[in-house]
Amino acid sequence: MAADGKLWRKNMCGFLRTLADARFQRENWFGKGKYVSSPEEMYNELFNDFDIEQFLTSPQVALTDDQRSAGKDLAAKLEAFDKAVGPDLIPEKVIDHPEWAKIRTAAQAFHKALGCGD
């Protein structure tokens, strides 16, 4: 994705929308929605598929300092949550966790900072 900054940003925006959306998570983490998703899958998407670390520093994406800060805040919250909750990110344990609510808020803030508009 690194080669096309606009596409990378667009795809990140779509992902952040789902990371910020409790309803999406309730439906899809528990098999009631049309997508296959889980907390673990969301981590994999952000840290592996979208390579948030590279996204935040990529000249192709060209983030502002405020955008980069919002992205770093989100990544830090996810990393802290992973350490606090442990490797078993089972949906029942994650969905109503107060720290996961803060992750949703951070995802929403990053989405807004990027100017996703969707």
Side-chain angles (χ1 to χ4, degrees):
M1 266 191 224
D4 185 346
K6 286 183 181 182
L7 179 60
W8 200 1
R9 186 185 285 245
K10 178 184 175 197
N11 289 336
M12 179 66 83
C13 284
F15 170 75
L16 291 171
R17 188 175 54 249
T18 63
L19 184 57
D21 188 346
R23 182 175 168 201
F24 172 90
Q25 293 162 16
R26 285 190 193 285
E27 290 175 0
N28 295 286
W29 288 3
F30 299 97
K32 296 176 182 152
K34 62 181 182 175
Y35 301 102
V36 175
S37 184
S38 69
E40 187 174 328
E41 176 63 25
M42 293 192 128
Y43 272 85
N44 286 336
E45 284 185 68
L46 187 65
F47 289 103
N48 297 326
D49 298 350
F50 291 113
D51 194 354
I52 182 108
E53 308 267 331
Q54 187 178 355
F55 181 85
L56 295 173
T57 59
S58 171
Q60 288 85 9
V61 180
L63 298 180
T64 66
D65 288 342
D66 288 343
Q67 291 169 330
R68 195 172 300 106
S69 177
K72 285 181 179 181
D73 180 59
L74 173 61
K77 281 181 172 47
L78 281 159
E79 288 169 352
F81 185 80
D82 186 45
K83 287 178 183 164
V85 173
D88 297 324
L89 295 171
I90 43 179
E92 294 83 0
K93 195 173 178 181
V94 174
I95 194 74
D96 291 319
H97 197 289
E99 295 304 312
W100 191 258
K102 292 177 185 176
I103 288 168
R104 284 192 202 106
T105 300
Q108 187 175 33
F110 190 28
H111 186 268
K112 183 178 178 180
L114 287 176
C116 294
D118 58 358

